[in-house]
Amino acid sequence: RLGGRGDVSQSHVLWKSSKVTAGYASPLVCDDHAYFVGRVGTLQCVDVKTGDVEWQQRLPGAAWASPLLAAGHVFVFCRDGGVLVLKPGRQPQ
């Protein structure tokens, strides 16, 4: 949560999850969802308010790059050159 001072590790943590992994990539936040790319080729969509995993999907290959948001779509670039493009939201499209 925003607005803290000093050590906010207890007072301003909204949620923690052992079910979500980001590997080397930074998560992408869009609206009420965060997108986490795992090193082994998975994409997870997480509700930013609760930390609940909305869905998980296999990528075309391993990915280390952070996902990008452009033109209303989420782009995930894989190491082998494959790209996954989807609409942000509760269901993978």
Side-chain angles (χ1 to χ4, degrees), residues 4-92:
R5 290 178 186 253
D7 183 358
V8 294
S9 60
Q10 298 299 315
S11 62
H12 284 71
V13 174
L14 188 58
W15 53 265
K16 291 182 182 181
S17 176
S18 61
K19 297 178 182 179
V20 179
T21 179
Y24 296 116
S26 296
L28 168 71
V29 176
C30 176
D31 299 324
D32 291 332
H33 297 93
Y35 300 89
F36 291 81
V37 174
R39 284 185 299 180
V40 296
T42 57
L43 177 65
Q44 293 176 300
C45 176
V46 177
D47 183 307
V48 295
K49 293 179 183 174
T50 65
D52 294 335
V53 177
E54 297 285 333
W55 53 264
Q56 179 172 313
Q57 181 172 330
R58 275 261 176 234
L59 297 172
W64 293 356
S66 300
L68 299 174
L69 179 68
H73 291 82
V74 175
F75 292 80
V76 181
F77 300 92
C78 298
R79 286 186 55 206
D80 64 2
V83 179
L84 176 70
V85 181
L86 55 101
K87 290 175 138 180
R90 292 199 178 282
Q91 299 293 323

